[in-house]
């Protein structure tokens, strides 16, 4: 497949990273209903990613085992029964998230680093799935920047005033726009947002993030994978 031929040849990088970066540039896999199988991710993680009309599964299972379950690129790769097959009886299946991307703006950083939030639930959650987690923020809330799924740069936020709508008050979008100054100009930064979290989703969209697809992260019972 031509898109896979464009994957970064650096051994430490997972081939899924090239597909995310290609999608951020508007170069998607063909919308042919097919499923591409890739190796499992590091740290014992696997995932199912859905782009428009094409799915990508990163798993320790063989392509033949995956295809035998007859997933497809039209939503079948995220069906509950298929995800349970990938995870195994006792594996953990994460939430369904929309994948969004924006570009760093660089310039003078508008957010200070926060060294007092290491025990914050948002930070603990980030460290459970990501590496190189750095925390920033101010009176509006917290921002984490980290190396996430397949090594992509990821961002997440949490307002310090959860009772206030980040979309109607503008706090969420302003925090995100300031966070983009922490990322080199033009570099993609990704976010995984639950579609049900409408306030957060609207804030990311208002801050200039665009949707690429959807994903579920899996921690299977195959503990030796990755």
């Amino acid at each position: 497949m031509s898109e896979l031929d464009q994957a970064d040849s650096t051994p430490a990088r997972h081939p899924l990273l090239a597909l995310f970066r290609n999608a951020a540039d508007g170069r998607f896999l063909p919308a042919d209903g097919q499923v591409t199988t890739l190796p499992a991710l590091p740290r014992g993680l696997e995932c199912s990613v859905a782009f428009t009309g094409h799915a990508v599964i990163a798993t320790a299972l063989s392509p033949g085992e995956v295809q035998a379950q007859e997933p497809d690129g039209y939503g079948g790769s995220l069906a509950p029964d298929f995800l349970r097959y990938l995870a195994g009886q006792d594996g953990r299946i994460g939430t369904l998230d929309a994948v969004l991307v924006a570009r760093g703006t660089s310039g003078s950083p508008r957010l200070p680093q926060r060294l007092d939030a290491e025990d914050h639930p948002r930070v603990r959650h980030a460290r459970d799935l990501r590496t190189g987690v750095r925390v920033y923020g101010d009176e509006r809330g917290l921002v984490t920047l980290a190396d996430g799924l397949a090594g992509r740069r990821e961002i997440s936020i949490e307002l310090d005033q959860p009772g206030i709508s980040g979309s109607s008050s503008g706090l969420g979008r302003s925090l995100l726009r300031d966070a983009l100054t922490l990322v080199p100009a033009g570099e993609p930064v990704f976010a995984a947002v639950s579609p049900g979290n409408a306030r957060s989703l609207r804030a990311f969209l208002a801050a200039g993030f665009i949707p690429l697809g959807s994903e579920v992260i899996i921690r299977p019972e195959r503990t030796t994978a990755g």
Side-chain angles (χ1 to χ4, degrees):
M1 184 176 298
S2 60
E3 285 79 2
L4 295 182
D5 292 338
Q6 299 171 20
D8 196 302
S9 60
T10 305
R13 294 192 176 184
H14 193 279
L16 181 57
L17 177 60
L19 300 185
F20 280 129
R21 293 183 69 92
N22 285 349
D25 290 334
R27 293 181 283 122
F28 290 90
L29 292 162
D32 54 9
Q34 297 301 305
V35 175
T36 295
T37 304
L38 298 176
L41 298 159
R43 304 176 72 191
L45 298 178
E46 302 187 3
C47 68
S48 178
V49 181
F51 298 107
T52 299
H54 200 109
V56 179
I57 312 295
T59 177
L61 299 172
S62 70
E65 290 175 292
V66 171
Q67 297 296 340
Q69 301 301 308
E70 300 184 347
D72 60 58
Y74 300 129
S77 66
L78 295 174
D81 287 346
F82 179 68
L83 294 177
R84 174 49 61 196
Y85 167 77
L86 288 179
Q89 183 174 354
D90 299 318
R92 277 172 45 191
I93 301 173
T95 58
L96 172 66
D97 286 329
V99 184
L100 311 173
V101 68
R103 299 281 177 175
T105 57
S106 192
S108 298
R110 296 179 186 171
L111 290 176
Q113 191 165 8
R114 290 279 298 269
L115 301 177
D116 61 338
E118 291 301 310
D119 200 43
H120 191 282
R122 169 65 60 182
V123 179
R124 292 202 305 268
H125 176 72
R127 294 193 189 284
D128 185 50
L129 292 173
R130 305 173 181 118
T131 60
V133 178
R134 291 158 291 153
V135 187
Y136 303 86
D138 55 22
E139 69 281 355
R140 291 169 294 179
L142 290 178
V143 171
T144 66
L145 284 172
D147 297 323
L149 190 67
R152 70 190 183 191
R153 181 185 283 112
E154 291 184 0
I155 188 172
S156 67
I157 68 167
E158 183 160 322
L159 298 182
D160 279 345
Q161 304 176 63
I164 298 177
S165 169
S167 59
S168 61
S169 68
L171 288 177
R173 76 189 70 168
S174 69
L175 189 60
L176 283 167
R177 285 171 178 157
D178 287 350
L180 291 177
T181 66
L182 304 170
V183 179
E187 281 295 306
V189 58
F190 299 85
V193 182
S194 170
N197 189 353
R199 290 179 178 178
S200 180
L201 185 57
R202 290 198 299 267
F204 274 88
L205 294 174
F209 283 75
I210 61 173
L212 297 182
S214 56
E215 68 187 24
V216 173
I217 298 176
I218 297 166
R219 197 183 297 273
E221 59 181 347
R222 295 180 293 279
T223 54
T224 58

